[in-house]
Amino acid sequence: MRQSINVIKISGHHLDDESLLRQFARIVARADEQLVIVHGGGVEITQLQRKLGIAPRYVDGLRVTDADSLALVEMALCGTVNKRLVRHLLAAGVDAQGLSGVDRGLVRARQMQHDQVDMGFTGTVVSVRAQILCELFALGVTPVIAPVSLGETSNFNLNADPVAGAIAAALGAEAVVYISNVAGVQVQGEIVPTLTRRQAESLIASAVISGGMIPKVQSALDVLSSGVPRAVITDLAGWATGGGTSFVAEENEGMVSEG
């Protein structure tokens, strides 16, 4: 019987906090399922840009990546952030290996298109070479992936959320877990344990889900659209205890398991 696979996306809020990284690594070390970890790192990219006098640019919440910024993205995500995360996992006893989407053509990408703005070296996923990850699984290795990906003539900077979703779909994963600084979707002060697409869209329409939670929920719904049966929004404490908000397709409602 195949070991279940979960893809874990950890946000940049955790990646410069040594205490949170140690906590994350301990949870990974206790996991029963096979994990793939995808990480962001936007905070450190922005800090590097400002130190070097490059003004960060965003369109619809997405970073516009020029050539100079791409070099910083590769430096921060593939270097500093990825190796810091791998170091903490190794210290917790996890046989972790850092990769980017460029390595062995793991994630191929093309330029993101926008009606009004040239997005430069900001990309979208074209394909995932899942066999590379399966080979690492067979060796007992936990892949730790930076979302810099391979284009035809250059590398591209991708948002980590859709990269996590695309990897999960390619692997036939059971779930994508988005770990951030929010415990889940709250309604009247209580975390909602399960939402279907219809319920989530209704909460957005009625402004119960609003602000920065909307893109998090949209990422979870995009995962369902890719064929992955479940997406979870939670924080570290919720992940450790099977908490947070699980998003499921209507046909899977009532079939949510903890994890």
Side-chain angles (χ1 to χ4, degrees), residues 37 57 165 215 239 251:
I37 298 166
R57 291 181 61 215
W239 183 40
E251 62 269 22

Side-chain angles (χ1 to χ4, degrees), residues 140-240:
V141 172
T142 297
V144 182
I145 301 169
V148 176
S149 301
L150 180 66
E152 287 189 3
T153 59
S154 71
N155 295 338
F156 285 97
N157 173 32
L158 274 65
N159 184 286
D161 286 3
V163 171
I167 289 171
L171 287 170
E174 280 69 26
V176 177
V177 181
Y178 292 101
I179 298 175
S180 68
N181 57 347
V182 296
V185 175
Q186 293 193 22
V187 174
Q188 297 181 341
E190 298 291 333
I191 299 295
V192 181
T194 307
L195 286 172
T196 65
R197 174 184 297 277
R198 188 179 298 114
Q199 289 168 338
E201 290 174 345
S202 175
L203 290 175
I204 292 172
S206 62
V208 174
I209 294 174
S210 61
M213 181 57 79
I214 292 177
K216 296 180 193 298
V217 170
Q218 190 57 59
S219 292
L221 297 180
D222 288 346
V223 165
L224 301 185
S225 296
S226 72
V228 178
R230 184 166 64 105
V232 181
I233 294 175
T234 189
D235 56 12
L236 275 179
W239 183 40

Side-chain angles (χ1 to χ4, degrees), residues 56-158:
R57 291 181 61 215
Y58 298 90
V59 174
D60 299 332
L62 296 168
R63 187 185 303 273
V64 179
T65 311
D66 59 22
D68 288 339
S69 296
L70 179 63
L72 298 185
V73 167
E74 291 174 327
M75 184 190 311
L77 294 190
C78 303
T80 306
V81 174
N82 187 269
K83 300 317 167 194
R84 182 190 304 138
L85 183 49
V86 169
R87 172 170 57 84
H88 279 277
L89 290 165
L90 289 169
V94 178
D95 194 5
Q97 179 175 335
L99 301 164
S100 74
V102 177
D103 296 308
R104 296 185 66 193
L106 173 61
V107 181
R108 292 187 180 268
R110 61 171 173 258
Q111 185 190 46
M112 177 179 288
Q113 299 301 302
H114 192 280
D115 291 342
Q116 300 174 336
V117 177
D118 181 350
M119 297 299 290
F121 297 94
T122 300
T124 59
V125 177
V126 172
S127 63
V128 175
R129 192 179 170 199
Q131 182 58 33
I132 294 169
L133 302 176
C134 294
E135 291 168 3
L136 293 175
F137 296 163
L139 296 172
V141 172
T142 297
V144 182
I145 301 169
V148 176
S149 301
L150 180 66
E152 287 189 3
T153 59
S154 71
N155 295 338
F156 285 97
N157 173 32
L158 274 65

